[in-house]
Amino acid sequence: MARKPGHHAEELPFVALMDTMTNVVGVLIIVLVMVGIGLARSVNKVLSDLPPKTIEELAKLKNEVKETKPKSDLLKIDQASTKLEQDLKKITETLMTLDVTKDKQQIKLIDVSDLAKQLEEKKKERDQRKAEVEKMLAEINQLQARLDTTPVYVPPPAVVVKLPNPRPLPDKAKLQHFLIADNRIYFLNDEQMIDIAEAELKRVERTLAISRETVKGADGKPVIVKDKSGNSSPKQKIVFDAKKLADHFANARIGNRDLKIEVVPSPNTSSIPMKILPLPNAGETIDQTKGLFSVFQTQLKKFKADPKAVVCFHVYKDSISTYLAVREFADQLGVPVAWDIYSSPWYSRNLPPEYTLNITPPAAPAPTPNAVRIAPPKSTLD
């Protein structure tokens, strides 16, 4: 007979497989036997270690176990069950309401976005108000610092001021003008200043005059006038160039030791306005007027001797106290006085009308029909 072919090297013989399985089962049986023996020994050891108990002790232990066993209350259990069912029903309804559509979910998201925008606006408003409050606090601190460093105001000493007593000027009164400015007293001597200005006009007539003509009366004949010396001559009207004449008086030193003469043309009139300006550090202070040979006292004593003389004080706003001091001296001397508050620290007066400027004033507005005209106040003594 032929030999059976041998097994391939890669195949496991059936007999070897069975041997392996038998060995595994045998090992498992041995392990189970050993575990059972170990468990029996442990139980016997536990039972042998328990202390012996009598029948009465056993009954007592059973009673304690029975008493400690919780007693079930069927009514409470039913109530708790009912409550749990109700809670479960509410939770189920809440869960059903949470199942919203996508559109509703988008609306909620938009609302949240709006709330975020509002929150951002509120933050900006808060920051703006905070900045304003900080600015106000800084200003308060600055004001407090200025207040702390501000010296305490000490009022000046009291000044006695007499109430005015208006009286009419004497007939054909001769006004003698004084200017009080910068706490100094200046004797204007305006008649002399007009003579000085008129002499200067005659000196520059050939170079600055534009035209000359003889003034004629209604009969067509020349108007004859007399000068201060009594000499007669035809009245002349001389027109000067406004700019050249103003520049000449501004650059030239025309006047006296205390005052300077300037010409300041006005676009509203062809007359020549003469401005008498005090020179720096000229005039007299209050202390200087107290001297026996001061210009102020000398002039006041001279005017006292003339019954027609009236001293007129033109007071600039910065020199009220100086006026009160010199006014008291004039009252003690008995010289009639008039005064006014002057708007400028200089004195103005027009030159004689025969001297004019090449200025054409605008036409005067037509008078309002039935208009009430109030005459300017008359000069009075005070």
Side-chain angles (χ1 to χ4, degrees), residues 21 72 80 84 91 111 132 146 152 188 190 192 204 215 219 245 250 264 266 270 274 276 305 328 354 361 368 372:
M21 293 179 64
S72 300
L84 289 174
I91 293 172
D111 293 340
E132 292 176 355
R146 291 176 60 184
V152 178
L188 295 174
D190 49 321
Q192 182 189 23
V204 298
V215 179
D219 56 358
L245 188 64
V264 182
S266 171
S270 59
M274 177 183 66
I276 304 176
E328 183 178 358
E354 55 264 29
T368 304
V372 178

Side-chain angles (χ1 to χ4, degrees), residues 227-302:
D227 57 15
K228 294 182 180 181
S229 302
N231 299 321
S232 299
S233 61
K235 185 177 181 180
Q236 297 288 324
K237 181 180 179 182
I238 305 173
V239 180
F240 288 89
D241 183 276
K243 185 178 184 310
K244 291 181 179 179
L245 188 64
D247 293 341
H248 173 75
F249 273 84
N251 297 326
R253 174 65 175 85
I254 304 171
N256 57 26
R257 66 176 186 177
D258 293 332
L259 304 168
K260 177 184 177 182
I261 299 174
E262 289 187 1
V263 171
V264 182
S266 171
N268 299 320
T269 179
S270 59
S271 300
I272 301 179
M274 177 183 66
K275 180 187 289 187
I276 304 176
L277 298 98
L279 293 174
N281 301 320
E284 293 180 335
T285 63
I286 295 177
D287 293 336
Q288 290 173 340
T289 59
K290 295 178 182 180
L292 295 177
F293 301 101
S294 69
V295 175
F296 179 71
Q297 285 204 37
T298 302
Q299 295 297 330
L300 249 59
K301 292 174 182 178
K302 177 182 177 181

Side-chain angles (χ1 to χ4, degrees), residues 134-167:
E134 291 178 350
K135 182 178 179 181
M136 292 176 64
L137 291 175
E139 291 179 355
I140 291 174
N141 293 333
Q142 292 178 358
L143 292 175
Q144 185 64 39
R146 291 176 60 184
L147 183 62
D148 294 339
T149 56
T150 300
V152 178
Y153 173 72
V154 179
V159 177
V160 178
V161 179
K162 296 180 180 180
L163 293 176
N165 181 23
R167 293 165 291 164

